[in-house]
């Protein structure tokens, strides 16, 4: 089955890094809320079986009857599972069922294009769609990279976090050659930045040159406010509006608006 022709509508951005603990989900929720504050119609998709994005926006993944898993398998329509959130963004929730999605898709032809086809039905309703990828380079992440026009790579400002980025970039290159020639790396998003640490500053200065990629600015600071927000089912832009973290995500989102 050939990929469907793209229609006009939302800009689709994947947020991916196969390493865990890089503030990927926090970045999706916070950028989504910042885009919504700027007047954009925003949809977030939770493609991770841990469903942290779903939980972070105030929805219990264990109580979700139909999730992205069921959409990917063609059992329900994407529009039927989309839920509004208090942050002004819509959410397509994830669930533990996503742990089995890849096994089912592996046997299907054109499996990398399933998500692209799913999103076509709702693209006209949004300005931006953010894809929260699982911490792996499996079939679901390949689906996200195939469907997306842009990729943001969150990366903590720690030297060990460089490990694995090269592998992700190799995968992106393969996707660009074979599955999605229009995929563009928007940039690396520095996260967990400690401005008082010489090490963090050195990593920040090194990362762009090392990979030859744009580095989004400003770096997202390390703050306990990020850990507090999911407990009340909101993003940091709602729970701590004037914090350094909230301001940083607003600035990054503002810099991305011309791409939407």
């Amino acid at each position: 089955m050939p990929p469907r022709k793209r229609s006009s509508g939302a800009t689709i951005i994947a947020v991916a890094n196969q390493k865990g603990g890089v503030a990927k989900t926090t970045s999706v929720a916070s950028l989504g809320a910042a885009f919504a504050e700027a007047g954009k119609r925003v949809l977030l998709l939770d493609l991770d079986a841990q469903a942290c994005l779903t939980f972070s926006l105030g929805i219990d993944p264990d109580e979700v009857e139909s999730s992205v898993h069921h959409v990917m398998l063609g059992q329900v329509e994407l529009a039927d599972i989309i839920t509004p959130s208090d942050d002004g963004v819509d959410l397509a929730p994830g669930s533990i069922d996503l742990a089995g999605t890849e096994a089912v898709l592996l046997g299907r032809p054109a499996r990398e294009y399933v998500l692209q086809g799913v999103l076509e039905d709702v693209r006209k309703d949004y300005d931006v769609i953010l894809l929260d990828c699982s911490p792996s380079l499996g079939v679901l992440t390949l689906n996200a990279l195939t469907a997306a026009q842009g990729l943001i790579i969150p990366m903590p400002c720690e030297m060990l976090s460089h490990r694995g980025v090269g592998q992700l970039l190799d995968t992106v290159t393969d996707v660009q050659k074979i599955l999605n020639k229009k995929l563009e790396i928007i940039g690396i998003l520095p996260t967990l930045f400690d401005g008082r640490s010489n090490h963090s500053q050195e990593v920040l200065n090194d990362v762009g040159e090392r990979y030859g990629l744009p580095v989004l600015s400003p770096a997202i600071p390390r703050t306990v406010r990020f850990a507090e927000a999911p407990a009340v089912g909101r993003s940091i832009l709602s729970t701590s509006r004037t914090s350094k973290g909230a301001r940083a995500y607003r600035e990054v989102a503002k810099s991305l608006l011309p791409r939407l």
Side-chain angles (χ1 to χ4, degrees), residues 42-131:
V42 182
L43 173 64
L44 311 182
L45 257 77
D46 192 343
L47 292 167
D48 188 353
Q50 298 177 69
C52 292
L53 177 63
T54 300
F55 178 81
S56 296
L57 293 183
I59 298 174
D60 185 347
D62 295 331
E63 296 183 0
V64 172
E65 293 185 6
S66 296
S67 71
V68 172
H69 163 79
H70 302 92
V71 175
M72 294 289 286
L73 299 189
Q75 298 172 359
V76 297
E77 298 295 324
L78 178 57
D80 294 335
I81 72 164
I82 291 175
T83 304
S85 77
D86 291 336
D87 272 341
V89 303
D90 286 351
L91 171 71
S95 68
I96 189 62
D97 295 318
L98 281 164
T101 309
E102 295 201 0
V104 178
L105 292 180
L106 277 173
R108 296 195 176 183
R111 55 184 175 268
E112 295 90 353
Y113 294 101
V114 173
L115 183 60
Q116 182 188 111
V118 163
L119 291 174
E120 287 301 321
D121 295 332
V122 301
R123 280 189 68 188
K124 65 182 183 301
D125 301 321
Y126 296 96
D127 299 307
V128 59
I129 298 175
L130 296 177
L131 310 177

Side-chain angles (χ1 to χ4, degrees), residues 231-255:
V232 293
R234 304 289 292 273
S235 76
I236 191 174
L237 274 75
S238 296
T239 61
S240 187
R241 292 187 55 82
T242 60
S243 67
K244 291 182 179 178
R247 292 201 302 269
Y249 274 116
R250 284 194 186 95
E251 288 185 46
V252 172
K254 183 179 180 180
S255 72

Side-chain angles (χ1 to χ4, degrees), residues 2-14:
R4 298 187 188 183
K5 184 178 180 181
R6 294 178 187 270
S7 63
S8 60
T11 299
I12 302 172
I13 300 174

Side-chain angles (χ1 to χ4, degrees), residues 170-188:
D170 288 343
T171 299
V172 170
T173 298
D174 290 340
V175 169
Q176 290 170 324
K177 288 179 179 177
I178 303 169
L179 301 171
N180 181 6
K181 298 183 186 300
K182 295 183 178 180
L183 177 62
E184 176 188 0
I185 300 177
I186 293 173
I188 291 175

